[in-house]
Amino acid sequence: MKPYYITTAIPYVNAAPHLGHALEFVQADVLARHRRLRGQRVRFLSGTDDHALKNVLAARNAGEPVADYVNSAADRFQALQDLLELSFDDYIRTSSDPRHRPGVDYLWQRCADAGDFYERAYTGLDCVGCEQFYEPDTLADGLCPEHGTEPEQVTETNWFFRLSRYRDQIRDAITSGALTINPPQKRNEVLALLDTGLQDFSVSRPAVRAGGWGIPVPGDESQVIYVWWDALTNYLTALGVDRPGAEYEFWWAGDGERVHVIGKGITRFHAVYWIGLLLSAGQPLPTTIHVHDYVNVGGAKLSKSTGNIVDPVALVNLYGTDALRWWITREVPLLGDTEFTAARLIQAYNTDLANGVGNLANRTVTLLHKHYDGRLHLDTEPVVGPAWDSVELDAACAALPSNIDAALRTADFRSATAHLVAAVNLANQPLNAAEPWKALRDPDGDARRIHRLLSRVAQACRTIATELAPFCPAGATRLASQLDIGDRVAAPEPSFVRLT
């Protein structure tokens, strides 16, 4: 199968990570783990965006050297790898990774060789939180639509990139299907933006304003490269774009899938600016951009800048990694912002995992051990009896992998987890109808048929545990360890302990 290169956006490190970061990391991790489960070669990249002006301001407020502050803050983001059971293959920090600056310099020179940079004076409205200049008519009552703060009017002489030159090529890439933007509503938003025309944008900042923090513009030490231009290139600098070799050729320049997972607030940068940069530099384009909406608390977007955050570390310490990963994949829709409450997280976990697949597997394994010494009756015939028929369950389990494949092709995590929940519900139906805990106490009960039924349910649980692994790796491993040992099941032990 073709290689699968998947990346998250790299977050600023001006404050601690919040639940919105966990959402993006977990979504990308599920996609990476799912493709590995299907036997595909996967490379999963994340990292931190270190050269932002907001990082400089945060360091000044903390009274620390910028490099020291950034390194310490970046550690908190990288620590999420273990906390959330993220299967990163690579992790890049743009201020300290030795691969990054040579790649930035190389891509800058390629764009310069294409004649796509020019210098001019500019006066605009700058939001430090977004690291973005805004046109007045794009503000919400004079405030940044992302942060609700008033942008600062800034006059600078910067280097600009000729983005306007690439509007038609960007549109062609999207409309031809060479670049898929998912879900379709986000694709339509990008096309609408292109229809209004594209303005060239500033790709540098005065070094004095940035406190000298950042990568100098090649040939102009008075300027540092604009943080967005710098950050976007990480997807290629991590592969050694400046020294094309096996990694770059295999993961980016070959015929594989190149996938970005991002939040809606940075769609313009990834679906327009980044594509223009790649076209200018003569690089292949990503194949897919999955765009997710926001997590809200109290109706307001989570934001480090505004201080409206939910700490994923605290959530995991209280409820566990399985519970948080399940809420992210089970409760967050493909389109639309999601309101977070701890009560909803607990309910989703208890309903689907503790009381759902966990209880199903536990009672099945318990009965197999109590009455059949833990042995399975392995056959391929459906079990049919009065009001308990395994035909539908067998068909659902056979279809489960392909149904999840279809859902995750469009990053529809809620649909994918719904298929898992539906399989659990189907497996419970014949058990509830047959009531083997009663039937096996009846001397006239059909112990052989009950054995076959329990074995079929256990085999269904094996399938569910396998398909659950990308979503809840630890819990699925505990579940599989009881079920997946040939013709026997292990002693019963709760895979998902109920939260109270």
Side-chain angles (χ1 to χ4, degrees):
M1 288 185 283
K2 294 179 180 180
Y4 186 78
Y5 180 47
I6 183 167
T7 73
T8 70
I10 53 174
Y12 300 130
V13 295
N14 59 306
H18 58 61
L19 179 57
H21 299 110
L23 180 146
E24 183 166 307
F25 296 151
V26 168
Q27 286 191 346
D29 183 66
V30 169
L31 296 176
R33 287 178 180 273
H34 172 257
R35 293 303 184 104
R36 292 192 194 102
L37 181 64
R38 297 294 186 256
Q40 201 161 356
R41 288 192 62 180
V42 172
R43 186 183 180 97
F44 179 21
L45 171 72
S46 189
T48 54
D49 184 356
D50 300 345
H51 286 141
L53 178 58
K54 61 167 69 177
N55 295 344
V56 176
L57 299 177
R60 288 174 183 169
N61 291 335
E64 298 179 32
V66 179
D68 292 347
Y69 176 87
V70 165
N71 285 334
S72 176
D75 286 343
R76 292 179 291 184
F77 282 86
Q78 193 157 5
L80 294 179
Q81 180 168 359
D82 291 334
L83 183 84
L84 299 175
E85 298 171 13
L86 305 171
S87 60
F88 296 140
D89 297 295
D90 195 1
Y91 200 88
I92 189 167
R93 297 186 180 190
T94 57
S95 65
S96 58
D97 195 300
R99 297 172 293 178
H100 188 61
R101 180 172 175 176
V104 173
D105 289 345
Y106 171 81
L107 291 168
W108 182 279
Q109 191 58 54
R110 292 290 299 268
C111 293
D113 291 344
D116 285 330
F117 293 136
Y118 62 94
E119 194 175 19
R120 73 174 175 90
Y122 179 77
T123 297
L125 298 170
D126 182 37
C127 173
V128 174
C130 294
E131 294 281 1
Q132 176 181 349
F133 282 110
Y134 280 97
E135 296 296 327
D137 60 0
T138 63
L139 300 176
D141 296 324
L143 303 179
C144 166
E146 283 289 309
H147 295 97
T149 55
E150 184 176 355
E152 175 187 2
Q153 182 162 299
V154 173
T155 298
E156 296 176 341
T157 298
N158 299 331
W159 289 96
F160 276 70
F161 175 71
R162 299 185 194 276
L163 181 66
S164 56
R165 175 180 287 181
Y166 294 99
R167 186 186 75 161
D168 291 344
Q169 287 175 257
I170 296 170
R171 169 177 271 282
D172 288 346
I174 296 169
T175 56
S176 70
L179 170 60
T180 298
I181 301 172
N182 178 63
Q185 292 86 344
K186 306 301 182 187
R187 172 185 183 273
N188 294 340
E189 290 172 8
V190 173
L191 291 175
L193 173 65
L194 294 172
D195 287 342
T196 66
L198 291 182
Q199 302 295 318
D200 297 347
F201 71 102
S202 172
V203 291
S204 72
R205 296 288 185 269
V208 171
R209 185 177 177 221
W213 183 248
I215 297 176
V217 169
D220 184 358
E221 295 286 329
S222 70
Q223 297 269 313
V224 294
I225 294 175
Y226 171 47
V227 64
W228 270 106
W229 206 99
D230 168 349
L232 287 165
T233 64
N234 90 91
Y235 307 129
L236 295 189
T237 63
L239 299 174
V241 64
D242 56 303
R243 51 186 193 288
E247 287 191 343
Y248 167 82
E249 297 294 338
F250 185 78
W251 296 107
W252 195 266
D255 64 351
E257 295 180 70
R258 301 176 289 275
V259 180
H260 300 316
V261 179
I262 63 164
K264 66 178 178 181
I266 56 176
T267 305
R268 174 196 296 254
F269 293 98
H270 282 79
V272 180
Y273 293 8
W274 174 229
I275 307 307
L277 185 164
L278 291 170
L279 290 168
S280 173
Q283 297 291 312
L285 305 184
T287 58
T288 306
I289 301 175
H290 291 304
V291 184
H292 62 79
D293 284 325
Y294 290 150
V295 177
N296 294 338
V297 174
K301 171 201 169 190
L302 296 177
S303 169
K304 299 191 304 295
S305 300
T306 63
N308 185 41
I309 65 169
V310 174
D311 182 5
V313 178
L315 289 177
V316 169
N317 289 338
L318 282 169
Y319 308 116
T321 303
D322 285 329
L324 180 54
R325 286 182 65 111
W326 186 251
W327 180 85
I328 287 170
T329 51
R330 181 76 179 111
E331 293 293 309
V332 176
L334 183 63
L335 193 66
D337 294 347
T338 305
E339 184 75 14
F340 172 81
T341 67
R344 289 181 63 184
L345 180 148
I346 293 170
Q347 182 179 16
Y349 172 89
N350 281 342
T351 300
D352 298 333
L353 299 183
N355 299 340
V357 66
N359 182 59
L360 170 69
N362 190 261
R363 65 178 179 168
T364 302
V365 169
T366 297
L367 288 167
L368 283 166
H369 266 273
K370 184 176 181 179
H371 298 281
Y372 304 101
D373 194 30
R375 294 191 177 278
L376 297 178
H377 188 294
L378 299 177
D379 63 23
T380 58
E381 293 299 319
V383 184
V384 180
W388 42 284
D389 190 332
S390 75
V391 174
E392 189 177 359
L393 172 61
D394 294 346
C397 287
L400 185 59
S402 60
N403 287 336
I404 291 176
D405 290 350
L408 293 186
R409 271 195 292 273
T410 60
D412 191 345
F413 301 95
R414 180 181 269 185
S415 177
T417 52
H419 287 297
L420 285 163
V421 171
V424 172
N425 292 337
L426 277 173
N428 268 313
Q429 288 177 12
L431 282 189
N432 292 337
E435 296 184 314
W437 45 90
K438 292 181 181 179
L440 289 170
R441 293 199 300 266
D442 182 354
D444 297 324
D446 191 340
R448 185 174 181 276
R449 182 177 289 177
I450 293 292
H451 190 196
R452 291 179 65 222
L453 175 63
L454 291 172
S455 299
R456 297 310 284 272
V457 173
Q459 290 172 297
C461 288
R462 286 180 173 180
T463 300
I464 292 166
T466 298
E467 297 302 318
L468 180 63
F471 304 90
C472 298
T477 298
R478 291 192 299 271
L479 187 63
S481 67
Q482 293 185 63
L483 299 162
D484 199 8
I485 49 176
D487 64 349
R488 297 181 62 88
V489 292
E493 185 176 338
S495 301
F496 300 97
V497 178
R498 182 176 170 81
L499 297 174
T500 58

